[in-house]
Amino acid sequence: MTETESIAYDVVVLGAGPVGENVADRTRAAGLSTAVVESELVGGECSYWACMPSKALLRPVIAQADARRLPGLAQAVQSPLDAPAVLARRNYFTSNWQDDGQVAWLDGIGADLYRGQGRLAGPRTVTVTGPDGTLTTLTARHAVAVATGTRAQLPPLPGLAEVKPWTSREATSAQETPGRLIVVGGGVVATEMATAWQALGSRVTLLVRGKGLLNRMEPFAGELVADALKEAGVDVRTGTSVRSVTRENGTVVAVTDAGDRIEADEILFATGRVPHTDDIGLDTVGLEPGSWLSVDDTLLVDGTDWLYAVGDVNHRALLTHQGKYQARIAGAVIAARASDTAVPDAPWSAYAATADHDAVPQVVFTDPEAAAVGLSLAEAEQAGHRVRAVDVEFSSVAGAGLYAEGYKGRARMVVDLDSETLRGVTFVGPGVGELIHSATVAVVGEVPISRLWHAVPSYPTLSEVWLRLLEAYRG
């Protein structure tokens, strides 16, 4: 192994996914020299194996489902989706797994890219083992930001490695449609991939260990999504665990805890994520390899004054947009501290990732879509808030009937009875993903119900559900 001389930067970022890129963008904008280290593709999980390819797969599915609900159009879209065309479009949105464009972007902001495995080697020091074995040492005058994300977690089933199961990566990058697919899990990845591959021609069996789907949302969200998956042809089995998995002559055989034997061409395990921190040198700075990194609201790792953990790796909100938000906060904090500027970290300041606690938005791109921000009713009650849930059906909204025949959906707002502001909002139904930002603004802004009454929704749109919610609250 050849070692080069040490190179000093103001900031060193471990990981060039969207989160690491945003940290670098903010520190470079502040005039701080910045190095970015990446062992795979610049652009990270979101660009190549998560957000972008999964939504590229799902968009034609949702568009076709919407069209089939419209008289005058429904008969024209009864043919199956053109799976090769959908997969080709997905390939386009991943840039065919080439990162030239994102490398050029990094170069354009003036950040230096180091390809290879980056590891901490003591305070403010990172070593990079390049593809050719060359060892480069980077030192950070002000900060090191860890943005290495997570990877899929597989259950400890004997012989699972020999089965070669799919994780989210294989599910979003597969070049052919499996005839039969088993999906294990009940969360976002499981429900979205069951939606996509069923529509692309797979016979999907969804095995859910718990009682229902999307258990981090309001219960009705999972119920409506489960009903739609069943209607689409997915075999949804709740309260079911996988006891063993083998591959026999190319066929996957899964045996459940009830003794059922299920055969498929592929099996996807969407059973959680673990932090990608096992091989980044945490032990050299007194931290446990493989652990989540606990941070304060400025994204500074507990017990340090130079190490930041941003995005999934800190386990605050495992969502790309939330990680990018954290990156913007962390970049501002690093720049301020580098110039000895005060960092007031009160809630909702420019230096505090407050939304991680109170206003995390998320959209699940199933059919119907499920979108939520803030606290569910159960979470609000568990936190000790005095709240009231208000529910309405989208069938009460004229815009829903115009959007689709037989539109099925529900909305809930969780009202804090002491402040008369919103603690959380959930929408389930076709097209509701585009509604959630209005709810996010209301929650983040702590807009009083009395003022929301004057936010008049345009008629006839899905947004009129806001008026129905407010009318139900007023009684």
Side-chain angles (χ1 to χ4, degrees), residues 356-370:
D356 289 350
H357 309 297
D358 298 322
V360 175
Q362 181 177 18
V363 179
V364 184
F365 291 86
T366 46
D367 176 36
E369 292 176 347

Side-chain angles (χ1 to χ4, degrees), residues 22 160 164 255 320 342 367 377 399 439 447:
N22 272 263
L160 186 59
K164 296 182 179 179
V255 179
T320 295
D367 176 36
L377 174 61
V447 183

Side-chain angles (χ1 to χ4, degrees), residues 8-13 19-36 104-113 141-142 327-328 330-336 338:
Y9 288 88
D10 292 322
V11 180
V12 177
V13 181
V19 176
E21 287 176 326
N22 272 263
V23 173
D25 186 42
R26 292 297 83 213
T27 56
R28 285 298 301 130
L32 300 177
S33 61
T34 302
V36 180
W105 179 86
L106 269 183
D107 183 62
I109 66 170
D112 292 344
L113 172 65
R141 300 183 187 93
H142 299 295
R328 296 190 291 271
V333 169
I334 291 168

Side-chain angles (χ1 to χ4, degrees), residues 185-366:
V188 177
V189 172
T191 54
E192 288 189 347
M193 290 300 94
T195 299
W197 288 109
Q198 177 73 29
L200 289 169
S202 293
R203 295 203 310 273
V204 176
T205 302
L206 181 60
L207 305 180
V208 186
R209 184 173 59 183
K211 295 180 180 179
L213 307 180
L214 303 176
N215 61 10
R216 295 192 177 185
M217 287 186 157
E218 299 285 8
F220 66 82
E223 292 165 4
L224 288 169
V225 170
D227 289 346
L229 284 171
K230 293 173 186 176
E231 186 176 343
V234 176
D235 181 1
V236 180
R237 306 187 191 185
T238 57
T240 302
S241 296
V242 177
R243 189 173 68 197
S244 67
V245 180
T246 56
R247 193 179 282 272
E248 304 172 6
N249 298 319
T251 297
V252 173
V253 178
V255 179
T256 71
D257 51 357
D260 295 330
R261 175 187 169 97
I262 306 169
E263 296 186 356
D265 299 288
E266 301 293 349
I267 184 168
L268 162 62
F269 281 92
T271 50
R273 310 286 297 180
V274 292
H276 205 168
T277 61
D278 54 315
D279 191 26
I280 63 168
L282 291 184
D283 54 309
T284 69
V285 293
L287 298 171
E288 182 180 351
S291 65
W292 301 101
L293 298 178
S294 181
V295 298
D296 64 16
D297 278 358
T298 69
L299 290 312
L300 188 68
V301 174
D302 294 347
T304 76
D305 63 359
W306 59 274
L307 184 64
Y308 294 77
V310 192
D312 286 7
V313 76
N314 62 36
H315 207 233
R316 287 163 69 102
L318 276 66
L319 296 159
T320 295
H321 50 269
Q322 210 67 22
K324 292 163 72 173
Y325 160 74
Q326 292 175 11
R328 296 190 291 271
I329 299 293
V333 169
I334 291 168
R337 288 174 174 159
S339 62
D340 293 323
T341 300
V343 177
D345 58 357
W348 305 116
S349 80
Y351 305 109
T354 312
D356 289 350
H357 309 297
D358 298 322
V360 175
Q362 181 177 18
V363 179
V364 184
F365 291 86
T366 46

